[in-house]
Amino acid sequence: MNIVSKHTLFSNSATGSKHVQDGLSNEDSVLTLEHDDYQIVAVADGHGARECFRSEIGSRLAVDVAVKNLELFAQTIKRYDLYSYLEQEKERDELVRSLIQDIVDHWNQYVYADIKAYPIQDDEYERAQTLSSIYQKGMYLTNIYGSTLLAALMTPEYILIVQQGDGTCAVFNEDGSLDDPMPEDDLCIRNLTTSLCDKDAAKRMRYVFIDRRENDPMALFLASDGVERSFYDTIHLSAFYAELCLELCELEGADLETYLSHLLPQISERGSRDDVTMAGLMDAGRIMAAREALTRTVNVARKMDLMKSAETILKQETNTKKHYVRESEKIEHEIHDVDDKILELEEKKSHLLQDLEKMKTMHTSQILVCKEAETEFDEANGMFVRSLMALEEGD
C-alpha cells in the first residue's frame, strides 16, 4: 500500500479554573503513543458528578486501555495483512466492533481490579449520596469510575477514531476546511453524556474510518468537552483550531508543549472553566501550504466578532436613543403641564388684578366718604362748640 506522510503528535491537559478555585484535581486524562508504524492519541473526561467519585481514575484507565487496544489493532492488521478486510465495509465493521468491545471489556476489568486493590471507603460512599446504598450492595460500581473516551489511531494507510460520550473530533482537510466526521450521539445533550460505564457502552460507541489514500487530513484534534464549551459556536471553534494549527506548526518539542500548557488554562478561564484536554496530529508542511485557507477561517470569526461588537454598540446606542426619546417625551409632558399651569396662574392673576382694581376703587370711594364724613363732623363739632359758648355767655 502507498505510504503517506507522518504527522507531528501533540497533547496537553489543564485543570479547569473552577476546579482550581475549589481545590479539585483534573478529572481529564490524555495519553499518546508514537511508533514507527503508527501514532495513537487518546483523551478521556471523567464525570464530575458526586456519584462518580473515582472518575479521575476512570479516565486514566480509559486512555490506557484505548492506547493498548489500538496499538494491538494496528499490529494485528499489519502482521496478518488484513488491509483488504478494512477495505470492505462489513468486514471492517466487524473488526472495529471487536476492537470497541475489547476496549469496553478491558476498561471494566481494570475498574474492578482497582476496586479490589483499593476497596471503597466509607467516606467515599458518603460522597455518592443517593447511590450510596446501591454501591454498598455491589451494584453499578463502574459508575464510580464513569468517563468518556476519544481515541485515534493513525497509520500510514488509515485513520481510525473511536468515541464514547461527548467531546470534539476535528479534522482539517487538504483545502483547509474543518469537519467533525464522527456521527452524533443523540444522548449527549448539554451536560448529559453517554459513558464507558453504561451497560450498552460497546453498542453505542461510534467510530470513523478514514482511508488516507483517498482522504488524508493534514491535522486531527481530539478534545474534551471543556474545550468545545469554551467557544460560542462552531465558527469560533473552527477558527480556534485553524489558528492553533498555524501556531503549532511553527513550534517543536518542548516549545510546542509549553505553548499548549499556557494556552489551555486560558481557554478554561475565559470559557467553560472546566478541565480542558487536547491531543492531536498534524502535518506542519501541509498546514503551511494551506495557510491562506486557514487564515480565512480565522478572519471569518474575527469579522463575526467585529459584527457582534458593532451590533452590541448599535444596540446600546439604540437603547440610549430610546431612553432619550422616553426622557424627552417625559420632559415635554412636564413642560406641557407647566405651560397649562402657567396659563391657569395667568388667568388667576388676571382675576386677582381685577379684584385688586375693584378693591382700589372701593378704597378710593371709602376715602372720599370718610373725608366727607370728617368734614361734616368738623362742622357739627364747631357748631356744637359755638352753641356751648353761647349758653355760657347767656348765663
Side-chain angles (χ1 to χ4, degrees):
M1 301 185 72
N2 295 334
I3 301 298
V4 193
S5 61
K6 193 173 181 179
H7 288 51
T8 300
L9 184 151
F10 58 89
S11 67
N12 206 273
S13 182
T15 304
S17 59
K18 184 67 168 61
H19 282 187
V20 173
Q21 177 183 317
D22 296 341
L24 301 176
S25 57
N26 187 350
E27 293 171 340
D28 285 2
S29 294
V30 62
L31 188 63
T32 63
L33 177 66
E34 186 152 22
H35 189 273
D36 289 340
D37 295 329
Y38 48 80
Q39 295 165 291
I40 302 172
V41 293
V43 170
D45 181 358
H47 307 327
R50 295 177 63 89
E51 294 80 5
C52 306
F53 49 80
R54 288 189 181 180
S55 64
E56 178 184 352
I57 299 172
S59 69
R60 290 204 302 268
L61 297 178
V63 294
D64 184 50
V65 165
V67 169
K68 287 179 178 177
N69 279 275
L70 285 171
E71 181 178 29
L72 180 60
F73 181 87
Q75 292 173 348
T76 301
I77 295 296
K78 183 175 181 179
R79 180 178 304 150
Y80 298 102
D81 193 19
L82 300 178
Y83 295 106
S84 60
Y85 286 86
L86 294 179
E87 295 173 356
Q88 304 298 319
E89 184 175 353
K90 181 180 179 181
E91 286 78 3
R92 179 174 65 238
D93 186 67
E94 290 177 354
L95 286 172
V96 176
R97 282 295 162 194
S98 177
L99 162 69
I100 288 173
Q101 188 66 59
D102 287 343
I103 290 175
V104 174
D105 288 346
H106 290 160
W107 182 81
N108 278 273
Q109 291 171 16
Y110 278 26
V111 164
Y112 282 107
D114 189 78
I115 293 173
K116 184 176 180 180
Y118 305 97
I120 302 169
Q121 303 299 307
D122 290 341
D123 61 328
E124 290 182 303
Y125 281 128
E126 291 176 3
R127 290 173 59 187
Q129 295 182 335
T130 55
L131 293 181
S132 176
S133 59
I134 295 176
Y135 289 161
Q136 291 183 54
K137 294 177 182 178
M139 301 169 62
Y140 301 105
L141 295 182
T142 55
N143 286 20
I144 298 171
Y145 294 75
S147 174
T148 65
L149 174 65
L150 252 172
L153 162 67
M154 177 177 283
T155 76
E157 299 81 20
Y158 63 89
I159 298 173
L160 175 62
I161 310 168
V162 297
Q163 180 172 9
Q164 175 67 356
D166 55 24
T168 305
C169 170
V171 172
F172 268 110
N173 300 312
E174 191 74 36
D175 60 0
S177 62
L178 182 70
D179 288 330
D180 181 354
M182 188 65 66
E184 291 187 5
D185 185 335
D186 55 7
L187 294 183
C188 292
I189 305 172
R190 297 181 181 176
N191 290 331
L192 299 177
T193 179
T194 51
S195 171
L196 284 172
C197 67
D198 294 340
K199 293 296 183 181
D200 60 349
K203 180 180 179 180
R204 293 199 63 85
M205 190 177 293
R206 301 104 74 200
Y207 76 88
V208 173
F209 180 84
I210 301 173
D211 188 334
R212 292 184 68 187
R213 297 169 303 175
E214 299 175 0
N215 177 27
D216 187 23
M218 59 183 180
L220 180 151
F221 293 92
L222 304 182
S224 62
D225 72 319
V227 175
E228 181 180 7
R229 291 189 292 106
S230 295
F231 296 90
Y232 304 120
D233 47 42
T234 54
I235 293 176
H236 285 83
L237 184 63
S238 297
F240 163 71
Y241 282 130
E243 192 165 21
L244 184 60
C245 277
L246 295 174
E247 293 289 342
L248 295 184
C249 69
E250 297 181 355
L251 302 173
E252 293 182 0
D255 291 337
L256 191 152
E257 295 298 323
T258 300
Y259 177 82
L260 289 174
S261 67
H262 284 88
L263 175 66
L264 294 189
Q266 295 175 25
I267 293 173
S268 175
E269 179 65 34
R270 295 196 306 262
S272 65
R273 304 196 69 200
D274 192 6
D275 299 332
V276 287
T277 302
M278 181 181 298
L281 301 143
M282 64 178 182
D283 186 329
R286 292 165 63 201
I287 289 172
M288 292 302 294
R291 173 182 289 274
E292 185 176 343
L294 295 176
T295 301
R296 281 198 301 270
T297 300
V298 175
N299 288 338
V300 167
R302 289 177 178 173
K303 288 178 180 177
M304 178 177 286
D305 289 337
L306 289 174
M307 184 179 70
K308 285 187 177 180
S309 177
E311 185 179 7
T312 300
I313 294 173
L314 176 61
K315 186 176 181 179
Q316 291 173 346
E317 293 299 323
T318 301
N319 290 336
T320 301
K321 180 182 177 181
K322 288 180 180 178
H323 176 74
Y324 168 77
V325 170
R326 287 195 301 269
E327 291 300 310
S328 297
E329 290 175 348
K330 181 180 177 182
I331 292 173
E332 286 175 358
H333 285 306
E334 290 178 355
I335 292 174
H336 180 72
D337 292 342
V338 170
D339 286 340
D340 289 343
K341 193 69 175 177
I342 290 173
L343 289 174
E344 182 182 340
L345 291 173
E346 288 288 348
E347 186 177 353
K348 187 174 182 179
K349 176 183 177 182
S350 176
H351 291 154
L352 289 173
L353 287 173
Q354 291 175 8
D355 292 341
L356 179 60
E357 287 299 321
K358 291 178 181 179
M359 293 297 294
K360 285 182 179 180
T361 301
M362 291 176 63
H363 178 65
T364 302
S365 298
Q366 290 298 321
I367 290 175
L368 291 174
V369 171
C370 287
K371 285 184 177 181
E372 290 176 355
E374 184 180 0
T375 300
E376 291 178 358
F377 174 78
D378 288 342
E379 290 177 352
N381 188 51
M383 291 175 64
F384 175 72
V385 171
R386 286 194 295 273
S387 297
L388 287 177
M389 291 176 62
L391 287 174
E392 287 177 355
E393 288 176 356
D395 291 340

